[in-house]
Amino acid sequence: MFFTKRDSFLLITLLLLLVVVFLLSIGLGAVKISLDEIFSSFSNFFNGNEFTTLNERIFIDIRLPRSVLSILVGATLAVGGILVQTLFRNPIVEPGLIGTSSGAAFGASFFIVLGNTFAFATNNISLPLIACIGGIIGTFLVFSLSKINGNNNSVTVLLLIGVAVNALFLSGIGFLSYIARDPQARSITFWNLGTLSGANWQAVEMVAFFSISGLILSYFLGKKLNALILGADEASYLGINVNLLKYQVLIINVIMVSVATSFVGVIGFVGLIVPHIIRMISGSDIRKLIIFGSLFGAIFLCFADLVARLLLSPAELPIGIVTSFVGVPVFIILLRKSNYFF
Amino acid sequence: MLTTKNLSVAIANKVILENISETFEAGKITLIIGPNGAGKSTFIKSICGQLKLNQKGTVDYDAEVLSISELAKVRAVLSQNSKLNFPLTVRDIVMMGRYPHFSNYPSEKDKRACSEAIQFFELENFVDRNYLTLSGGEMQRVHFARVLAQIWFSEENKTRYLILDEPLTFLDVHFQYSFMYKMQELAKENNMVIIGVLHDLNLTAKFADKIMLLSQGKVIASGNKSEVLSKENIVEAFKMEPKIHTIENEIFIHF
């Protein structure tokens, strides 16, 4: 990959923006935390001392994991979008269209409403676990149904099946909300629009492990994925085992996105918008897209979470409302302005 | 040399190609003609290993068994319609042709192959253009450059193969002829095996060293142009009576 001057400039800009947004995100919120408190909480934390103030505790146990999680999830969703768009050679695909998000949402709703009824041994990762399984089942349902007579069908068939399976899960979620008690229905709504309020270090560890390994693996598949832009036959004429590549990308994507979604709920549009905005700036080379896209996704989600926390402070908005409300107009304006052709 | 033996293809119980045994020699252009639905593209896909599950018989590249990654270093294929849905520069697309030759970063040799292939097809003024803004003919020439960059240098003096499915689509008369003259030059000077599907019978007559006429999945005739382009063969394949003129050893056909 050649990093042009423009690319280096973009990289530095994105890194600086990420630092700024991250600092704002850990500083601002319902409780304002000063720089001094941030430093003292770090020194207490690393020296194994007790926290001296409530703010220090809030910072280490709530604020910091939340900001870190927003960055990880943003990067994951953006790269998930890049991967599936490339895999299907189709610019309108995002993980939400191939059953991953709706499957996860159904799993989560199921657990929220019926978890107690079935007396699952619950702890704080039961919900993410079931959501993650839902996401994986949703994706594989879409893929196996779109195979007819053992042949891989066209992208159009796959997307239509995706739309149908999504509708099925949505009606399931609708039914569950209908039979749910009020607080449960509210949890379902919140989960379906995404929220980072449940962030804790355990979530950060899980998401970090799967996201970072997923990001690294996808980067190394970058060159092969570039060839796939030309088409499956063309890629195989370039010496690539296309079927193997498809499975690798799918598995990386579904695990990475399902795990991220399972902790924060369904956050729409990031996987669709971020890849396109980055493509407008840096072109379609997958390796560049993965680097810049993960940074931009991280910035975008961290910023959106900040807005979600501050707008109605001390109450919180679901983050999906913010990503769509801010992201969609920006996206449309950019699309109409740029000479970005399909 | 590329050899097929008793090559048959059936997809969903429908026989598309039947018992094709042909040889394609190095240094020669073999052109495949035939009516729509004759199985020309299927034949191309089949010799390129895309239909392994549906085919019987054998396809041999110089009697060696090569893995797909080894094959990609000596064989390049131009598909009928390479469609792209994402913006890429012409330079990036041509560089994709070198993918089989490097693992992470292109070498100087790869860069040289690209720029020479770009020059060969007169695309110097397009290198930084977004592919999606090009005209149909320009897009086609970008794919020529990509495909040729792939086999620009010979690997340990192995035979190189260039397989072209309807390369002349979208091209104006100037580029149709200049492309065919370039293929002639490549076949002779680099001893390549060149196989192409063409629709224009006059271009076929002018440039083919060997012609293979396909109809309904079978080879009606194959050999040199005066053998294949006979009145009977053309009537059988295209269901039309041709007028054939031979002037100074060149064959001209119209209907």
Side-chain angles (χ1 to χ4, degrees):
Chain A
M1 183 179 48
F2 333 96
F3 252 69
T4 58
K5 261 189 183 166
R6 198 183 142 98
D7 293 330
S8 319
F9 178 74
L10 183 63
L11 184 67
I12 292 165
T13 315
L14 287 173
L15 282 172
L16 282 177
L17 266 175
L18 182 61
V19 171
V20 171
V21 174
F22 181 72
L23 289 178
L24 286 174
S25 162
I26 55 177
L28 301 176
V31 178
K32 204 170 171 325
I33 298 174
S34 67
L35 266 181
D36 285 349
E37 284 168 321
I38 290 177
F39 286 127
S40 65
S41 63
F42 268 129
S43 71
N44 284 338
F45 182 72
F46 285 114
N47 296 327
N49 298 333
E50 286 290 307
F51 292 118
T52 43
T53 65
L54 181 63
N55 277 6
E56 288 180 13
R57 182 165 288 282
I58 289 176
F59 175 73
I60 286 288
D61 287 345
I62 298 174
R63 194 66 63 72
L64 192 59
R66 181 170 185 156
S67 301
V68 175
L69 190 65
S70 73
I71 283 172
L72 290 170
V73 172
T76 306
L77 293 178
V79 172
I82 293 167
L83 291 180
V84 289
Q85 284 174 9
T86 311
L87 191 59
F88 300 117
R89 305 181 58 225
N90 193 314
I92 65 161
V93 187
E94 62 144 353
L97 269 174
I98 54 165
T100 317
S101 317
S102 59
F106 180 76
S109 311
F110 185 81
F111 180 80
I112 291 168
V113 179
L114 299 173
N116 287 330
T117 320
F118 289 106
F120 292 122
T122 59
N123 56 42
N124 50 0
I125 71 156
S126 320
L127 172 64
L129 185 67
I130 289 176
C132 185
I133 293 170
I136 293 172
I137 291 175
T139 315
F140 281 92
L141 199 58
V142 170
F143 275 88
S144 48
L145 287 175
S146 64
K147 270 191 178 178
I148 298 170
N149 298 328
N151 284 323
N152 279 315
N153 252 297
S154 68
V155 176
T156 318
V157 172
L158 186 118
L159 289 182
L160 284 173
I161 301 247
V163 170
V165 168
N166 276 348
L168 196 67
F169 279 129
L170 280 182
S171 77
I173 295 166
F175 175 73
L176 288 167
S177 329
Y178 183 72
I179 62 166
R181 284 177 284 111
D182 265 358
Q184 292 172 336
R186 205 172 155 71
S187 307
I188 292 179
T189 311
F190 236 86
W191 208 89
N192 280 325
L193 291 167
T195 176
L196 285 145
S197 58
N200 54 46
W201 285 112
Q202 196 181 13
V204 170
E205 280 163 20
M206 298 275 287
V207 175
F209 175 74
F210 287 104
S211 295
I212 293 172
S213 16
L215 295 181
I216 292 172
L217 289 173
S218 351
Y219 181 83
F220 284 108
L221 293 176
K223 194 184 121 207
K224 290 180 179 174
L225 282 166
N226 272 342
L228 202 58
I229 297 179
L230 292 170
D233 285 355
E234 281 72 8
S236 77
Y237 298 146
L238 291 170
I240 290 161
N241 183 340
V242 175
N243 276 329
L244 178 67
L245 178 66
K246 283 187 172 173
Y247 283 114
Q248 287 169 332
V249 171
L250 255 185
I251 288 168
I252 292 173
N253 178 63
V254 72
I255 291 178
M256 189 167 84
V257 172
S258 297
V259 170
T261 304
S262 70
F263 284 99
V264 300
V266 179
I267 302 178
F269 290 107
V270 181
L272 181 68
I273 294 172
V274 172
H276 285 297
I277 292 180
I278 293 298
R279 256 190 219 105
M280 286 178 212
I281 304 171
S282 79
S284 300
D285 187 306
I286 305 295
R287 289 163 293 182
K288 285 186 197 173
L289 275 177
I290 287 173
I291 295 174
F292 298 141
S294 52
L295 285 172
F296 189 64
I299 295 166
F300 182 61
L301 208 69
C302 192
F303 176 75
D305 181 50
L306 190 62
V307 175
R309 279 186 282 141
L310 291 181
L311 210 61
L312 299 180
S313 177
E316 262 187 40
L317 271 174
I319 191 169
I321 295 179
V322 182
T323 54
S324 306
F325 199 77
V326 179
V328 174
V330 172
F331 182 55
I332 292 174
I333 291 167
L334 278 175
L335 270 184
R336 289 173 58 90
K337 264 194 169 173
S338 73
N339 50 353
Y340 181 58
F341 285 85
F342 288 113
Chain B
M1 193 165 71
L2 174 64
T3 320
T4 68
K5 246 188 223 143
N6 299 326
L7 186 65
S8 298
V9 175
I11 295 170
N13 293 325
K14 191 174 176 292
V15 177
I16 298 175
L17 289 176
E18 232 180 305
N19 277 326
I20 299 186
S21 301
E22 289 285 334
T23 54
F24 302 89
E25 288 169 49
K28 294 204 167 147
I29 299 182
T30 306
L31 295 177
I32 302 169
I33 52 173
N36 293 337
K40 303 183 293 294
S41 291
T42 306
F43 180 72
I44 295 287
K45 283 193 173 178
S46 172
I47 59 175
C48 294
Q50 292 296 314
L51 300 169
K52 285 191 178 133
L53 296 176
N54 301 304
Q55 77 188 33
K56 287 193 198 111
T58 55
V59 178
D60 289 308
Y61 286 83
D62 253 343
E64 284 173 67
V65 183
L66 296 170
S67 69
I68 64 164
S69 54
E70 284 175 74
L71 200 52
K73 291 180 183 169
V74 294
R75 184 201 66 194
V77 185
L78 181 81
S79 311
Q80 206 174 98
N81 40 16
S82 305
K83 243 180 73 190
L84 228 70
N85 289 324
F86 298 106
L88 276 170
T89 63
V90 169
R91 186 198 309 277
D92 287 342
I93 293 178
V94 177
M95 187 53 91
M96 285 181 181
R98 296 302 294 174
Y99 275 11
H101 302 276
F102 65 90
S103 50
N104 279 317
Y105 302 98
S107 67
E108 284 308 312
K109 192 178 167 190
D110 296 319
K111 289 178 192 166
R112 223 179 81 212
C114 281
S115 59
E116 288 176 13
I118 283 170
Q119 265 171 28
F120 193 69
F121 289 109
E122 302 155 54
L123 287 162
E124 297 93 328
N125 296 330
F126 295 93
V127 279
D128 291 312
R129 284 274 296 277
N130 175 353
Y131 172 85
L132 298 179
T133 64
L134 302 179
S135 78
E138 290 161 354
M139 287 181 176
Q140 187 72 345
R141 283 157 55 207
V142 172
H143 288 296
F144 291 161
R146 168 176 66 83
V147 165
L148 200 58
Q150 190 179 343
I151 51 170
W152 190 255
F153 299 112
S154 81
E155 291 279 318
E156 300 150 9
N157 286 322
K158 285 183 187 154
T159 314
R160 285 173 280 168
Y161 304 84
L162 184 56
I163 299 174
L164 310 155
D165 196 354
E166 296 192 22
L168 304 182
T169 326
F170 305 115
L171 297 184
D172 63 29
V173 177
H174 169 89
F175 282 110
Q176 289 189 4
Y177 277 87
S178 88
F179 179 77
M180 291 312 297
Y181 278 116
K182 283 173 177 154
M183 291 305 108
Q184 225 165 29
E185 185 190 326
L186 285 173
K188 300 284 174 295
E189 288 180 9
N190 298 303
N191 210 30
M192 286 187 188
V193 176
I194 299 187
I195 304 170
V197 171
L198 241 55
H199 276 300
D200 189 310
L201 298 184
N202 288 308
L203 282 168
T204 307
K206 184 167 172 53
F207 290 99
D209 297 306
K210 177 183 174 183
I211 301 176
M212 178 174 142
L213 176 59
L214 269 180
S215 181
Q216 297 180 345
K218 293 188 193 110
V219 178
I220 294 185
S222 96
N224 67 39
K225 51 192 163 189
S226 51
E227 290 164 6
V228 177
L229 296 175
S230 70
K231 208 171 215 174
E232 302 75 48
N233 287 339
I234 293 176
V235 170
E236 188 184 346
F238 296 98
K239 315 288 177 221
M240 269 201 304
E241 185 100 351
K243 295 193 176 67
I244 302 175
H245 307 281
T246 310
I247 305 167
E248 292 173 4
N249 264 337
E250 291 210 57
I251 297 177
F252 298 91
I253 299 167
H254 63 100
F255 294 90

